[in-house]
Structure formats: structure tokens, C-alpha cells
Amino acid sequence: MTLKICVAQLNFVVGDMAGNAQKIIDCATAAYQDGARLVLTPELSLCGYAAEDLFLRPSFIQACDDALKTVSAALSGLKGLHVVVGHPSGGDERTRSVSVQRRFNMASVVCEGQVVASYAKRELPNYQVFDERRYFVAGNQPCVFDVAGTKVGLLICEDAWFDAPAADAKAAGAELLAVINASPFHVGKGDEREQAMRSRVQATGLPLIYAHLVGGQDEVVFEGRSFALNANGALAGRAPSFEVATFTVDVTREQATQAPSSGGSAKIHLSSDVAEDGSLEADLWHALVLGVRDYIGKNGFPGALLGLSGGIDSALVLAIAVDALGADNVRTVMMPSPYTAEISWVDARDMAKRMGVRYDEVSIVPEFEAFLGSLKADFEGTQLDTTEENIQARIRGTLLMALSNKFGSIVLTTGNKSEMATGYCTLYGDMAGGFAVLKDVAKTLVFKLARWRNAHDPYGTGTDPIPERIITRPPSAELRPDQTDQDSLPPYEVLDEIIARFMENDQSSDDIMAAGFARADVEKVTRLIRINEYKRRQSPVGIRVTHRSFGKDWRYPITNKFRA
């Protein structure tokens, strides 16, 4: 006999309990009609992940409780169907105050109108973007339930990265591990998950199904990529990445005991389809597109607006925005200054035409001259410096925000991680906006992504969208005559590697210099990172694609005299 299990790899919205519940109901009903008798939804699927301090509100927990009852009642007529639903639970109703409430990160198994089993997450992550110990207390009991003669051990995300929860589930009789998850994407995370789960099945001798969330939530993206492993660690199936999907796994029980393998004596076998893995650039592209689409869509913005400069960063943001939203929902504005090169106009017009977006030109020369006139007396006797450069950037930011206010479209900023790290950006200027698409994308990756997008058209919005000269031309802010980025910064290959070592991997300056980097470059870059924290605190939220981004991953004091 074959048991069919459906992983509901769905895109939920934080706080939309009614909408999330309906998605679960619809998916479970369709899966049942297709023969599934167990449906796995992701971690905290009823409320979305992560709800942050909404978890502290009793009314939020009550709304989740009500939504669980709605799901259970709606599926009560589907005989034999078990649905695992992730949700927060407030514990004892008598302690329903915020200060003493015992909240759990729960998974409930509903079947024929009843909650037949429940499980409280035991390992609560408190690192990187995770802050679960702020909201939940840990469970301490395994959960094993029976579906059509197969005993399923339930785990939630972090539990499966540790020995005890899975071992306890096996001791309680589990023949199969079902792990529901909400694990944010970063480059390489998919392979890390599969390897960690492979270690888990080899330690327990049990096959495992990993049910994962998909979608964007503020700065994090969940890429789906649910998968199944047999007891010997072999991949039995994998769902597509960055897509809503119903991932079906067939569970068959072997007729006779086989010889032990490296993973132990297998009693049941899993099989499914295997979606192909993408390249690093492909995964990054899909993550950025999904992050933009969900941030704008879930927050109800009618479209996006950005300043198109003729440079590579704004070109890349435009291509991402069009892939995410469609050309009709993206507007570009070229805002030339006295220092804008003719080729910048030409390349900006060319790219806008290739992408089919609205393109306008609004000169900032009159405003710049007006500012200089107003400040003439104060600036008497001084030399031109970054002050005048920043005035131009702030005029552009003001114009973009005015258009945003008038027409509702969100401003997408175009700065990258290299610039955010070193402060090579203008507060209230090019940092002004609502969403920072490239905030966690280093400049060297910007070039790679531009090349990748010109060679691929994953969303059918146009081939070769970025003019070659935009990619090959030396980057420049064009805020003074003959300016290039490398006038002020080390070569990007050097800069980005120092940033990665210092900021992402916590290497000391001495360690970085020992790896062959010049002392002057290391001291300059680490100093710039240190003194520009005040700017980053005022930057828009942006998409996280590395294991350490400027956001929840990076929590350094602005006022700080420590020097390593």
C-alpha cells in the first residue's frame, strides 16, 4: 500500500489568518482529491513567519486559535486526511496576559474535525535573523502519530538540526520524520539544509520529508525547495525553488527486511520528482525578484519607481523590478546634473526602451543652482567637496519621493552592499526610498547578475536588457567632473573580499592582512564600515541574500569606541 503525502509549499502573509487558513483548506482539499492522506504545511503557516512582536499580543494568538478551528472544521468531512498546521499557541487560557503567557511554536495535526496530536518546538533559534526565545518557550515531548499504518514523527525546523528531538521521535515509534520549516534563504543555504538533514536520517535510520515555506517577508526570502530523503540519505525528491508548489511524496512499505545500509535497515521508501538546482546567480536573481514582488504586493503598493542613472546598479534594479512586477508597473526617471555624461543619457534611454517601461527626464540643474545660490554667503571662501555632491543626490531623492507621494508607487533605492558598508551613499539622497533591492548584494555580484540576466530571460520580460556599455563602463556617481567610484575606494574585488571577511565572517584586521590584503586597504575599509553605522540605521529595509546582512544580522552600536 502506498501512502501519498503532500507538502503544501505555499506563500503566506503575516497576520492574514483568514487568508492563510483558506490557502491551507484549498490545498488540503485538492491534495485529498488527488489521493493524499497527509498534508504538511510550513512552520507557523497559519500566521506567517515571522510575526515578531505580534506574538506578544493575546488577540493575535486568539486569532490563530480561531483560524485553526476554521481549518479543522472545513476539513472535517475528509475521512482519514491528516493535516499538519503550524501556529503559535498561548498555552494555558488562564494565563492569557502578555507578561506571564507561555507561548509555544506549535504544530497541530487535525483529522476529521479534531486536533489528534500536537507538538511544541524544542530548539528555539536565537541567532542571525532568528529571535524565537523572545517569543516562545521550548517544548520537551516528542510527537508521533499514525497515518494509514505509518507512524510519523513530527519536528519543527531547528529541531532537526539537533540529535535529541529526532532520536526521541524514533524511540517513540516513528518510522518517518516530517519536518515543517521556515528557514530564510541565503546563498548556499539549500545545500546546507540537505546535508544537515542527510546527517539526521543517517543518525536515526529514518527517512525524512522537509516541508518548507516560500515567499518574501520584509527583508527575508524563503525559497521553498522542499525535499525528501530516504533512510540511507539518498535524495528521493525535491520541489522547485522560489515557486508555490504542491510537492507530493509517495511512501511505500517494503515487503521484506533488507540488509542494513549506511543509514540503517529501511522499512519504508520515499519517491517523488526531483526539481533541478539553480546556479548561484539564478538563485540570487529569483530571490531578489520574489523579495521585490512580495514586499510590494503584500503591502499594497501599485507599482515601483526608481531613478535610472545610466549606471549598472540602477540598471540591475530596473531589470529585477520588471521581472517582479511587469513593465506596466515600473516607472523610471533620469535626473541629469551638470556632471552627467552624454553616454549616461543614451544608455538610460536605451535600457528603458528595451524593458518597455515609462521613462522621464527631469533635470536637477535649476534646483542645484538654486541651492548653491541660497548657500552662497555661507559657502563663501570654501572649496567644492562632497557637500555639493550630496546636494545633487538629495535633490534627486526629494523628486523621487515627491512622485511616490503623489502617485503611490514605492521608490526602489539602487545602492549595493559595498556602498552600504563603506558609506559611499548619501543620507536622504540616493538612500531615500522604501525598499533597498541590492542592500545585501556586493558590487562584484552586481556585475555577475547583470551578465547572467543578459544571458537568461527567466520571466519572459525581454532578452539582453542591460546595454553592454553599462556593464563595462567604470562605475561613477557623476557628482563631480571625471568622477569614478575607484577614486575613493579600493578595487571592488579587493573591497568586497575585505567586507566579506570582516563584516560577514568576523575576521580580524590582522587575519585579513595575513591573507594578503594591504594594510592601507584593510584599515580604510574597516574604518569606513565602523563610522557609517549611523547611515545604515536610517536606510530602507532590503532583501537578505547572504548569511549576514546589514539588518537584523548586524547589530552594532553607533556610539562605540572599541577598536580591534
Side-chain angles (χ1 to χ4, degrees):
M1 179 179 176
T2 298
L3 168 64
K4 184 174 286 189
I5 298 176
C6 174
V7 173
Q9 183 174 290
L10 301 179
N11 190 338
F12 298 102
V13 180
V14 166
D16 182 14
M17 272 67 91
N20 296 338
Q22 193 59 53
K23 287 180 181 179
I24 294 170
I25 292 166
D26 292 344
C27 183
T29 301
Y32 183 79
Q33 293 169 349
D34 193 43
R37 291 301 177 264
L38 174 59
V39 175
L40 304 175
T41 73
E43 179 179 9
L44 294 172
S45 53
L46 267 187
C47 63
Y49 193 99
E52 299 181 304
D53 279 8
L54 287 172
F55 288 129
L56 303 179
R57 304 187 71 86
S59 58
F60 185 84
I61 302 298
Q62 183 61 55
C64 291
D65 293 344
D66 294 342
L68 181 63
K69 293 174 184 176
T70 298
V71 171
S72 184
L75 301 174
S76 60
L78 304 182
K79 185 173 177 60
L81 177 66
H82 293 69
V83 182
V84 175
V85 181
H87 63 98
S89 173
D92 191 341
E93 292 289 336
R94 294 170 299 176
T95 59
R96 186 60 88 173
S97 68
V98 171
S99 59
V100 299
Q101 183 181 10
R102 288 172 57 82
R103 290 176 301 273
F104 297 95
N105 183 337
M106 296 286 293
S108 291
V109 184
V110 299
C111 180
E112 300 180 17
Q114 302 293 322
V115 174
V116 298
S118 59
Y119 176 75
K121 187 175 183 179
R122 295 171 59 174
E123 300 291 342
L124 303 177
N126 229 64
Y127 55 87
Q128 293 179 335
V129 300
F130 302 105
D131 203 12
E132 291 196 22
R133 294 178 196 170
R134 177 178 174 88
Y135 307 114
F136 303 118
V137 293
N140 57 16
Q141 297 295 320
C143 174
V144 178
F145 60 98
D146 186 284
V147 182
T150 297
K151 296 189 181 300
V152 180
L154 190 55
L155 303 175
I156 301 178
C157 203
E158 190 84 354
D159 294 334
W161 292 71
F162 290 83
D163 293 332
D168 290 349
K170 181 178 181 179
E175 301 171 287
L176 165 69
L177 298 175
V179 188
I180 66 170
N181 303 269
S183 175
F185 166 82
H186 65 247
V187 173
K189 186 63 178 288
D191 290 336
E192 290 176 25
R193 291 193 206 103
E194 284 192 15
Q195 188 53 47
M197 296 306 102
R198 189 166 285 112
S199 298
R200 189 60 48 235
V201 301
Q202 290 173 340
T204 60
L206 300 179
L208 178 149
I209 299 177
Y210 187 99
H212 195 211
L213 181 64
V214 69
Q217 171 58 30
D218 293 347
E219 70 266 52
V220 296
V221 171
F222 304 92
E223 85 272 31
R225 202 179 187 266
S226 303
F227 59 90
L229 300 173
N230 275 306
N232 62 358
L235 183 67
R238 183 192 293 129
S241 300
F242 305 102
E243 295 179 22
V244 169
T246 50
F247 174 55
T248 301
V249 181
D250 290 328
V251 181
T252 55
R253 187 174 296 277
E254 296 179 351
Q255 297 300 313
T257 303
Q258 298 181 350
S261 65
S262 60
S265 179
K267 292 182 179 180
I268 59 177
H269 180 77
L270 308 183
S271 60
S272 185
D273 296 328
V274 179
E276 291 185 8
D277 255 346
S279 66
L280 178 148
E281 291 85 0
D283 280 354
L284 273 173
W285 191 268
H286 294 308
L288 294 168
V289 167
L290 181 57
V292 169
R293 181 187 299 135
D294 275 4
Y295 190 83
I296 290 175
K298 291 179 179 180
N299 285 294
F301 291 101
L305 170 71
L306 66 135
L308 192 63
S309 67
I312 192 168
D313 294 316
S314 64
L316 191 66
V317 171
L318 173 56
I320 292 167
V322 171
D323 278 3
L325 307 172
D328 290 345
N329 297 309
V330 181
R331 179 181 177 183
T332 62
V333 184
M334 170 62 155
M335 295 168 284
S337 79
Y339 309 110
T340 300
E342 179 68 22
I343 58 174
S344 296
W345 294 63
V346 172
D347 291 343
R349 291 168 181 165
D350 184 12
M351 179 157 187
K353 183 177 180 180
R354 295 186 191 199
M355 296 254 74
V357 298
R358 176 175 174 179
Y359 172 82
D360 297 292
E361 292 176 357
V362 180
S363 173
I364 68 167
V365 173
E367 291 84 356
F368 184 44
E369 292 175 347
F371 268 93
L372 294 182
S374 297
L375 294 165
K376 183 176 180 180
D378 286 294
F379 286 4
E380 189 77 35
T382 65
Q383 298 296 314
L384 295 175
D385 57 17
T386 55
T387 305
E388 287 77 12
E389 295 177 26
N390 289 338
I391 288 172
Q392 297 168 70
R394 289 179 178 131
I395 292 169
R396 289 175 173 142
T398 299
L399 292 174
L400 289 174
M401 289 306 301
L403 292 170
S404 176
N405 290 161
K406 183 65 70 175
F407 301 109
S409 292
I410 188 172
V411 174
L412 301 179
T413 65
T414 60
N416 58 63
K417 188 172 189 174
S418 308
E419 294 168 348
M420 295 299 299
T422 57
Y424 198 74
C425 47
T426 302
L427 198 58
Y428 321 124
D430 56 329
M431 292 175 67
F435 199 56
V437 180
L438 304 179
K439 187 174 182 177
D440 200 30
V441 180
K443 188 76 170 192
T444 47
L445 269 180
V446 167
F447 287 106
K448 290 180 181 179
L449 285 173
R451 291 285 188 199
W452 183 89
R453 179 59 182 85
N454 271 3
H456 301 83
D457 185 16
Y459 298 92
T461 59
T463 58
D464 203 31
I466 303 176
E468 180 66 18
R469 186 165 58 187
I470 288 180
I471 300 175
T472 58
R473 178 186 173 199
S476 172
E478 294 191 325
L479 298 173
R480 64 173 185 265
D482 302 318
Q483 181 182 23
T484 68
D485 291 0
Q486 307 294 200
D487 296 339
S488 308
L489 299 170
Y492 277 115
E493 293 77 9
V494 173
L495 173 66
D496 288 351
E497 185 63 24
I498 294 173
I499 292 170
R501 288 172 178 268
F502 182 78
M503 179 264 171
E504 295 178 13
N505 298 316
D506 285 322
Q507 290 187 13
S508 68
S509 296
D510 287 343
D511 289 339
I512 300 171
M513 287 184 284
F517 293 87
R519 174 180 293 274
D521 288 339
V522 174
E523 289 181 346
K524 180 172 188 175
V525 173
T526 55
R527 175 181 176 274
L528 289 172
I529 292 173
R530 187 172 64 248
I531 66 175
N532 283 290
E533 182 64 23
Y534 80 100
K535 279 190 182 181
R536 290 189 292 269
R537 290 286 185 93
Q538 300 178 70
S539 65
V541 63
I543 305 167
R544 175 187 187 266
V545 295
T546 69
H547 72 275
R548 196 172 201 189
S549 65
F550 288 118
K552 291 184 181 179
D553 289 321
W554 177 265
R555 306 180 192 183
Y556 273 64
I558 297 171
T559 306
N560 158 32
K561 294 295 185 183
F562 177 74
R563 303 292 180 265

